[in-house]
C-alpha cells in the first residue's frame, strides 16, 4: 500500500474541519514522501530539524492517538512545503514533503529492518483516520483499524547508540540481529551528536540513599530530600551492574557503614510507609531500546566481550529482583512512579506494592519533577553536559543517522538530499542548545552534546559552554568507523578541562 496522499474523504470534508485553516489542503498529494524509524529520544530534535526546513506557515503535524494523554508516542508525520533554498539541488522547487517518523519498537527499528530492507508498519494518513479538534494544533490519528498502519521499508533510521551493537539480546522480536560487517559494507552512518542517559530511582529510594549517605558522611546533613547536584546520592558502576544482572535481589543486601563505624541494611533508612516489599524492582527497557543497549555496554560490557554478563530478563519471585520490561520512555516514567506511589498506571504493579525501583532513562525526561523518581550520580558524578564533555560522566550514547547506500537500493535523488541535510544538521551545537534549554534540571543542564569529531570546535580554553555544547570525546577517533564498544577518547589534540 502506498501512502501517497491524504484521504480524499478528508478533502471532501467528511472529518468535519469546516472553517479551519490548513497549512496544506488535506487532499494535496506530496511531491516527496520520506519514512524514518528508530530512537524516540530523538523525536523532538528531529521535528525541530525538519520544521526549520519548511516554508513558514505551511506545516501540519500528525500524531498517533493510541495514548490520548501522550499523542505521538509511537508514530508521527509532518507535512509541509520545503524551502528549496535550504536544501540546494532539489529537482522540484519548494516541494510538498510528507515526512513520517516511526518510534514504535525504539532504536533498533532504525537499524535492523533498515539494514535488511524489511517493511515495517508506518502510520497511514490516507485512511480517514486523522482528526483535528481545537484547541489541538495537530491531528490525532487512529492506528487501531485495518489500513491505519501500512508496511513500508524505512528510507533511513536513527539510533542511539550506533547500529553495529543491535545483536544478541539487543535484538527485538521480529527482526534479524545486526551483522556489524554488513553495516560497514551497506550503510551510510552519520553522527548526530550524543545523548546523556541516567539510572533514575524511585523518589523514596533516593531519599533513603540520601539519609544513608548523610549517616556515612558522604553527604551534608541538610541534603535530605534536596534535588541539587551536591545533594544527589550516588551508586557505583559496579553496584549498578550488580543490580542490572540480578546479582542483588533485595535492597537489604546493601549494608551502610555509618560515621561511627556501625552498619545497618539500607532498608533501615526507609521512610514510614515507603516500603512494603524489600525486593529490587528493576524497570528495564525492552530489547532493542537504545538506552537498554547502551546500558548493557556501559555497565556490563555486553556484547563487547566474550563472557560478559547479560542483563536480567526474568523475575525471581522469591529472592528478587522483580524485572519489568518498559516498552517506551513514557512507560518507564510510569513504572518508576507506580512503585514509588503504590499505583498501577503502568499495569506493572497490580497489587499496589510500594517498592524501591531503579530504571534507565534519557536525561531530557522528568525535568519538572512531575514523576516521583529522581536521577542519581554514578561513581559520584552527576549526569550533566559539562561532566560528560569533560570525560567525567560515562553513561552516554552516540546518536547516528543511517541508511542503505545507493548500491544496496538505498534512497537517491531528492529524498537522499533531504535525509543528508537532516543528518548533517542533527548534531549542530546551535540546534542542540535550543533543545537543551528545556532540559535544565535542579542538578544542572542535561540532554545532548555535539561532537568535535563531526567538525564542531571545542572552546580553546576547554571550558564547557552550554550555549555551544560540544564534547571532544568520540568512539570513532582518527577517522575510524564508530564502534560503541570502543572506550571514548579525545578526538586529536583538543583542549579539555580536568
Amino acid at each position: 500500500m502506498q501512502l501517497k496522499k491524504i484521504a480524499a474523504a478528508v478533502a471532501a470534508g467528511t472529518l468535519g474541519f469546516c472553517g479551519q485553516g490548513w497549512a496544506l489542503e488535506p487532499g494535496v498529494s506530496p511531491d516527496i514522501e520520506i519514512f524514518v524509524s528508530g530512537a524516540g529520544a530523538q523525536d523532538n530534535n528531529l521535528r525541530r530539524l525538519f520544521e526549520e526546513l519548511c516554508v513558514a506557515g505551511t506545516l501540519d503535524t500528525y500524531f498517533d492517538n493510541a495514548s490520548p494523554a501522550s499523542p505521538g508516542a509511537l508514530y508521527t508525520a509532518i507535512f509541509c512545503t520545503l524551502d528549496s533554498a535550504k536544501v540546494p539541488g532539489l529537482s522540484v522547487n519548494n516541494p510538498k514533503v510528507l515526512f513520517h517518523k516511526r518510534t514504535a519498537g525504539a532504536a533498533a527499528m532504525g537499524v535492523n529492518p533498515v539494514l535488511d530492507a524489511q517493511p515495517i508498519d508506518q502510520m497511514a494518513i490516507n485512511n480517514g483516520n486523522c482528526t483535528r479538534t481545537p484547541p489541538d494544533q495537530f491531528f490525532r490519528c487512529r492506528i487501531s483499524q485495518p489500513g491505519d498502519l501500512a508496511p513500508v521499508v524505512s528510507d533511513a533510521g536513527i539510533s542511539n547508540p550506533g547500529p553495529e551493537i543491535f545483536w544478541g539480546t539487543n535484538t527485538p522480536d521480529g527482526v534479524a540481529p545486526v551483522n556489524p560487517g554488513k553495516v560497514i559494507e551497506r550503510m551510510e552512518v552519520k553522527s548526530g551528536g550524543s545523548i546523556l542517559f541516567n539510572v533514575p530511582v524511585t523518589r523514596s529510594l533516593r531519599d533513603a540513599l540520601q539519609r544513608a549517605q548523610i549517616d556515612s558522611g558522604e553527604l551534608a546533613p541538610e541534603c535530605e530530600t534536596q534535588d541539587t547536584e551536591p545533594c544527589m546520592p550516588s551508586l557505583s558502576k559496579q553496584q549498578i551492574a550488580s543490580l542490572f544482572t540480578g546479582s542483588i535481589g533485595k535492597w537489604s543486601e546493601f549494608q551502610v557503614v555509618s560515621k561511627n563505624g556501625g552498619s545497618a541494611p539500607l532498608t533501615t533508612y526507609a521512610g514510614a510507609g515507603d516500603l512494603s516489599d524489600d525486593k529490587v524492582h528493576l524497570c528495564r527497557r525492552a530489547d532493542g531500546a537504545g538506552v537498554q543497549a547502551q546500558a548493557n555496554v556501559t555497565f556490563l560490557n555486553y556484547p563487547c566481550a566474550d563472557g560478559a554478563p547479560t542483563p536480567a530478563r526474568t523475575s525471581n519471585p522469591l529472592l528478587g529482583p522483580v524485572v519489568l520490561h518498559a516498552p517506551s520512555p513514557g512507560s518507564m516514567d510510569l513504572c518508576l512512579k507506580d512503585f514509588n506511589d503504590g499505583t498501577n498506571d503502568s499495569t506493572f504493579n497490580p497489587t499496589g506494592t510500594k517498592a524501591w525501583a531503579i530504571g534507565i532513562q534519557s536525561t531530557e525526561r522528568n525535568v519538572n519533577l512531575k514523576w516521583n523518581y529522581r536521577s542519581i550520580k554514578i561513581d559520584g558524578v552527576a549526569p550533566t553536559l559539562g561532566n560528560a564533555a569533560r570525560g567525567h560522566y560515562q553513561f552516554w550514547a552516540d546518536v547516528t543517522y543511517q541508511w542503505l547506500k545507493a548500491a544496496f537500493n538505498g534512497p537517491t535523488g531528492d529524498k537522499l538530499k533531504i535525509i543528508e541535510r537532516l543528518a548533517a544538521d542533527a548534531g549542530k551545537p546551535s540546534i542542540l542548545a535550543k533543545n537543551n534549554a528545556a532540559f535544565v534540571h535542579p542538578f544542572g543542564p542535561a540532554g545532548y552534546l555535539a561532537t568535535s569529531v563531526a567538525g564542531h570546535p571545542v572552546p580553546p580554553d576547554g571550558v564547557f559552554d552550554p550555549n555551544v555544547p560540544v564534547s571532544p570525546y568520540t568512539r570513532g577517533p582518527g577517522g575510524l568507523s564508530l564502534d560503541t564498544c570502543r572506550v571514548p577518547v579525545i578526538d586529536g589534540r583538543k583542549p579539555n578541562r580536568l
Side-chain angles (χ1 to χ4, degrees):
M1 177 178 180
Q2 293 183 348
L3 308 181
K4 284 298 182 184
K5 61 175 67 178
I6 313 298
V10 180
T14 58
L15 297 185
F17 296 119
C18 298
Q20 295 190 35
W22 300 83
L24 287 174
E25 287 295 330
V28 175
S29 296
D31 300 307
I32 302 168
E33 195 163 18
I34 298 173
F35 296 89
V36 173
S37 53
Q42 295 302 308
D43 283 0
N44 288 336
N45 188 40
L46 183 62
R47 198 171 302 127
R48 184 188 295 273
L49 289 170
F50 191 83
E51 288 172 359
E52 291 201 356
L53 301 181
C54 295
V55 174
T58 69
L59 185 144
D60 273 319
T61 306
Y62 300 79
F63 292 155
D64 81 87
N65 203 38
S67 173
S70 184
L74 301 176
Y75 301 90
T76 63
I78 301 172
F79 193 21
C80 82
T81 298
L82 203 70
D83 187 345
S84 293
K86 297 179 180 179
V87 187
L90 296 177
S91 64
V92 179
N93 184 53
N94 285 10
K96 296 176 287 294
V97 179
L98 181 56
F99 181 87
H100 297 260
K101 170 61 169 61
R102 170 184 163 136
T103 300
M109 289 298 105
V111 179
N112 306 58
V114 178
L115 179 61
D116 294 332
Q118 176 183 345
I120 56 176
D121 280 344
Q122 309 276 3
M123 183 174 71
I125 51 174
N126 62 345
N127 198 46
N129 58 321
C130 300
T131 61
R132 181 171 68 175
T133 305
D136 284 351
Q137 298 300 308
F138 55 88
F139 295 95
R140 294 176 182 263
C141 300
R142 184 193 64 226
I143 58 170
S144 59
Q145 295 186 15
D148 293 345
L149 297 175
V152 180
V153 174
S154 294
D155 297 300
I158 306 172
S159 63
N160 42 244
E164 80 291 343
I165 207 71
F166 288 92
W167 58 280
T169 65
N170 294 331
T171 309
D173 293 338
V175 299
V178 160
N179 179 331
K182 193 174 175 182
V183 171
I184 295 172
E185 176 192 10
R186 298 190 176 193
M187 295 189 102
E188 296 284 355
V189 181
K190 303 297 182 182
S191 171
S194 61
I195 180 172
L196 272 62
F197 296 135
N198 191 242
V199 287
V201 299
T202 49
R203 183 173 179 174
S204 57
L205 174 54
R206 191 284 306 266
D207 293 350
L209 288 169
Q210 283 181 324
R211 295 183 195 108
Q213 292 177 11
I214 289 170
D215 200 20
S216 67
E218 298 170 70
L219 293 178
E222 62 271 16
C223 274
E224 187 173 345
T225 73
Q226 299 302 305
D227 297 306
T228 61
E229 182 175 6
C231 290
M232 295 174 76
S234 180
L235 291 175
S236 71
K237 180 178 177 181
Q238 288 86 350
Q239 289 168 334
I240 294 167
S242 299
L243 290 164
F244 283 1
T245 57
S247 300
I248 294 176
K250 295 185 177 181
W251 293 107
S252 55
E253 295 173 38
F254 282 106
Q255 291 289 312
V256 179
V257 179
S258 65
K259 287 177 287 188
N260 63 17
S263 69
L266 177 61
T267 47
T268 304
Y269 296 87
D274 281 351
L275 199 60
S276 60
D277 187 342
D278 178 25
K279 290 191 290 294
V280 170
H281 284 62
L282 178 58
C283 295
R284 56 158 289 166
R285 287 292 306 278
D287 296 336
V291 64
Q292 183 66 52
Q294 188 63 56
N296 295 344
V297 173
T298 300
F299 299 105
L300 310 180
N301 203 23
Y302 176 88
C304 303
D306 290 342
T310 56
R313 304 180 78 193
T314 58
S315 297
N316 184 325
L318 181 63
L319 300 177
V322 177
V323 182
L324 300 314
H325 294 254
S328 68
S331 61
M332 177 64 68
D333 291 336
L334 293 174
C335 184
L336 292 168
K337 183 272 296 183
D338 278 347
F339 287 105
N340 186 88
D341 298 350
T343 53
N344 191 35
D345 293 331
S346 64
T347 72
F348 293 139
N349 190 22
T351 60
T353 299
K354 283 195 173 184
W356 289 344
I358 185 170
I360 44 178
Q361 191 71 293
S362 54
T363 55
E364 86 276 13
R365 308 290 297 191
N366 205 29
V367 176
N368 60 3
L369 306 184
K370 171 184 177 181
W371 307 105
N372 271 333
Y373 69 82
R374 297 292 185 267
S375 297
I376 63 170
K377 292 179 179 177
I378 300 173
D379 287 329
V381 183
T384 66
L385 296 175
N387 285 338
R390 286 188 291 272
H392 295 179
Y393 187 78
Q394 303 296 322
F395 189 20
W396 55 269
D398 294 279
V399 178
T400 61
Y401 285 61
Q402 52 265 343
W403 55 90
L404 288 174
K405 297 174 182 177
F408 294 94
N409 296 319
T412 59
D414 291 345
K415 186 178 293 190
L416 177 60
K417 287 183 173 66
I418 295 170
I419 292 171
E420 288 177 330
R421 175 59 192 268
L422 291 171
D425 286 354
K428 280 188 173 180
S430 58
I431 295 289
L432 298 182
K434 289 180 182 178
N435 287 335
N436 289 342
F439 309 142
V440 180
H441 295 256
F443 60 78
Y448 302 89
L449 288 167
T451 57
S452 64
V453 74
H456 307 299
V458 297
D461 59 2
V463 177
F464 178 74
D465 181 357
N467 297 309
V468 190
V470 181
S471 171
Y473 286 89
T474 178
R475 294 183 174 97
L480 295 174
S481 60
L482 174 68
D483 184 349
T484 302
C485 290
R486 186 179 290 123
V487 174
V489 297
I490 289 179
D491 175 44
R493 297 184 179 274
K494 300 289 194 303
N496 191 242
R497 280 289 178 95
L498 292 174

